[in-house]
Amino acid sequence: MKKILTLEDVEFAIKGGSVYACGGGGWVEHGRELGTLAVTIGRPELVTMDEIGDDEWIATAAAIGAPGGLTEWEMLGMDYVKAVSLLQDALGEKLYGLMIGQNGMSSTLNAWLPGAVLGTKVVDAVGDIRAHPTGDMGSIGMADSPEPMIQTAAGGNRAKNQYIELVTRGATAKVSPVLRKASDMSGGFIASCRNPLRASYVRRHAALGGISRALALGQAICAAEKSGKSVLDAICHTTGGQIIASGKVTANTLKYTNEAFDVGVIELGEGSGAVRIHVMNEHMAVENAHGERIATYPDVITTLTPQGQPLSAGKVAVGMEIVVFHIDKSLLPLSSSVIDPSVYPHVEKTLGIDLASYALNRSA
């Protein structure tokens, strides 16, 4: 099914993507800017994988970094277009379309502006239905592959002479950290285009329909806002998720690292109702007061206000009343990268906790 994306869809993508953002996934204002530009200057078109020929090229449009308000980043819409242009030039062939690495506050819309300007399709497939900290987690099975890939990036704080363009070639595991370092050097947030792959591969390894899910959730949220009904109820009903904790925030230790990650722990509640949320850009795990794991990536883990407004991890402040929303991974389409053991060691080392035994359903 083909669909011309509209201004109404921009709001749906932001609101639905903000839930799947899991505390990260970009910035609401940035997403609104990208989407509004795209549907104003062009007609970006959303297409499903069953409409795409096996031999067509599909790449991933993504933003790299930690725009949680802890750095002076700058990202312009045309940075996304430039990154795609750099990759097409390096590939020597035209891209049919762009998928995204993850849903998020702005990342759900990462492919829209290049689609409006360059004519690439917005492919209804994602590297991960929810947002995640590393590019490997959205690389649809390429993280441990020796196959040389092309990855490009563009963007940076112009006033501080931090604008960067780069084109890299090599195994994904080797070149992804290069783009992460470029993000840090640019101010903490940079546009990228990476890993051109044939549609036949994407069809087998991506989480299909990921953008449509975000749009449907956003539509349900907007309807609840207009009718005055509970937004939290609409989110739970649409996704099958549930609220697993609520309370006043007692600590947020989030700090920006030179790897362009926001890392720390958010604590809320008191006594037997207290929980700890482990954060690496996004909410990656939740423990109860007894230290027992109650949610773990790739589950959706989102902090919201009691009124249902998703909160970036960096905006969760001590004294706030918040709720923690959870969707079990069994209810989500999972890509090859989410069940790839090679994507977990770096994140586990950074956080100092086990993720893989939970994510991959194996004994700790």
Side-chain angles (χ1 to χ4, degrees), residues 257-327:
T257 74
N258 60 11
E259 288 188 299
F261 294 118
D262 291 335
V263 179
V265 173
I266 295 171
E267 299 182 17
L268 68 143
E270 297 178 344
S272 61
V275 300
R276 289 166 53 89
I277 306 171
H278 294 271
V279 181
M280 184 175 174
N281 285 8
E282 286 82 23
H283 305 317
M284 301 300 290
V286 185
E287 296 167 347
N288 66 18
H290 307 291
E292 299 166 335
R293 191 69 61 82
I294 57 176
T296 302
Y297 178 90
D299 296 355
V300 168
I301 304 166
T302 306
T303 47
L304 307 100
T305 68
Q307 293 74 41
Q309 180 67 42
L311 293 165
S312 295
K315 295 295 186 182
V316 175
V318 172
M320 274 186 175
E321 291 283 346
I322 68 170
V323 300
V324 182
F325 170 72
H326 172 242
I327 308 175

Side-chain angles (χ1 to χ4, degrees), residues 58 60 99-101 126-128 135-143 195 197-198 201-207 335-338 340:
I58 297 173
T60 298
M99 57 178 281
I100 56 171
V126 297
D128 191 354
D136 287 349
M137 287 176 155
S139 65
I140 56 173
M142 297 305 296
N195 294 9
L197 294 160
R198 298 293 187 182
Y201 181 91
V202 174
R203 188 176 292 111
R204 294 194 306 273
H205 293 274
S335 69
S336 292
S337 43
V338 166
D340 178 357

Side-chain angles (χ1 to χ4, degrees), residues 121-174:
K121 304 297 185 184
V122 178
V123 179
D124 195 4
V126 297
D128 191 354
I129 191 75
R130 56 151 287 171
H132 50 252
T134 70
D136 287 349
M137 287 176 155
S139 65
I140 56 173
M142 297 305 296
D144 203 32
S145 170
E147 184 178 349
M149 286 282 109
I150 303 168
Q151 297 196 15
T152 66
N157 190 316
R158 274 80 168 170
K160 293 190 172 184
N161 299 316
Q162 290 177 300
Y163 178 82
I164 295 172
E165 292 179 8
L166 75 158
V167 177
T168 61
R169 298 174 186 266
T172 297
K174 298 301 181 183

Side-chain angles (χ1 to χ4, degrees), residues 180-181 183-185 255-261:
R180 173 67 57 177
K181 183 61 178 177
S183 174
D184 177 55
M185 296 174 69
K255 301 291 183 185
Y256 179 78
T257 74
N258 60 11
E259 288 188 299
F261 294 118

